Amino acid sequence: MRRTVDRRGYTDSSRRHLVGVAASAVMAVLALILLGIGAVAWSMPQPNPVKLSAGATTPLGQTPWFDSGSTVFAAIDPTERTTPGDWDCRLQTAGSAARTLGGTPNPDLVGTRVVDDQSLFPVVTIGTSGAGDTISCSGPRADTGVAMWVLPTDAGLPRVALSLVVAGIALLGAAALVHPRARGLTRFGR
């Protein structure tokens, strides 16, 4: 007895099944990419706090992915208003000329820090830095001997990296739910 082959092609349920499997595979791959990027970014260490001395060139650490970088904090009276020119901080990046830092951080957004039992207030925005970057501050306020530190602008968990990890987990769960077999569906006739 010979078996006959059904030549009708795909039915609507077969097409839906194939689309569900393909969508699930694409979502799973995207989820794994998000999880990988988020995990690597989360595991990158924050640069260590760096104490600055007036006129001295100090190396900076490399900023992790998706981080807003560093800020110069100083032990000053919180009511005292200073400008970046008062500190005259210069950032030297590898392979380029030194540039004067002119960004003024918003104390309400950045907040304050405490190091060595001293309250520190943000005075100059540095931003992101790479391997081999250095900073020096030699303005009139820096020359008074006030304590200055380079600290991360954002204190706490890295928000973007955490968001990528959570999005990857959610997308992985959605990929599992989209797959037809996860919903108990099989192709017609199998």
Side-chain angles (χ1 to χ4, degrees):
M1 200 186 290
R2 270 184 135 177
R3 249 180 134 178
T4 59
V5 177
D6 187 9
R7 300 189 187 278
R8 290 183 295 169
Y10 285 107
T11 62
D12 284 343
S13 67
S14 295
R15 285 187 187 100
R16 280 194 298 265
H17 183 83
L18 186 61
V19 167
V21 169
S24 176
V26 168
M27 290 171 70
V29 168
L30 288 174
L32 292 175
I33 290 170
L34 287 175
L35 280 169
I37 291 171
V40 168
W42 197 344
S43 67
M44 293 177 112
Q46 285 280 347
N48 292 326
V50 176
K51 185 167 185 162
L52 298 177
S53 298
T57 301
T58 308
L60 295 173
Q62 185 169 356
T63 304
W65 294 350
F66 312 115
D67 195 90
S68 58
S70 303
T71 299
V72 175
F73 288 81
I76 60 171
D77 183 2
T79 60
E80 182 181 352
R81 296 290 170 208
T82 63
T83 64
D86 296 336
W87 304 94
D88 191 26
C89 294
R90 297 177 184 274
L91 180 67
Q92 174 73 48
T93 57
S96 66
R99 66 179 172 90
T100 302
L101 299 172
T104 304
N106 184 344
D108 296 330
L109 296 177
V110 176
T112 61
R113 307 286 191 275
V114 175
V115 177
D116 292 339
D117 294 328
Q118 290 182 316
S119 294
L120 304 175
F121 299 91
V123 291
V124 178
T125 301
I126 299 172
T128 59
S129 58
D133 292 358
T134 60
I135 187 171
S136 63
C137 298
S138 58
R141 285 295 285 133
D143 289 338
T144 61
V146 65
M148 298 180 298
W149 287 82
V150 175
L151 302 169
T153 302
D154 296 327
L157 289 173
R159 291 180 294 225
V160 174
L162 179 61
S163 298
L164 288 174
V165 169
V166 170
I169 292 170
L171 194 58
L172 197 57
L177 291 176
V178 168
H179 197 282
R181 291 201 186 257
R183 294 178 288 157
L185 301 177
T186 58
R187 284 183 11 196
F188 184 72
R190 294 220 173 173

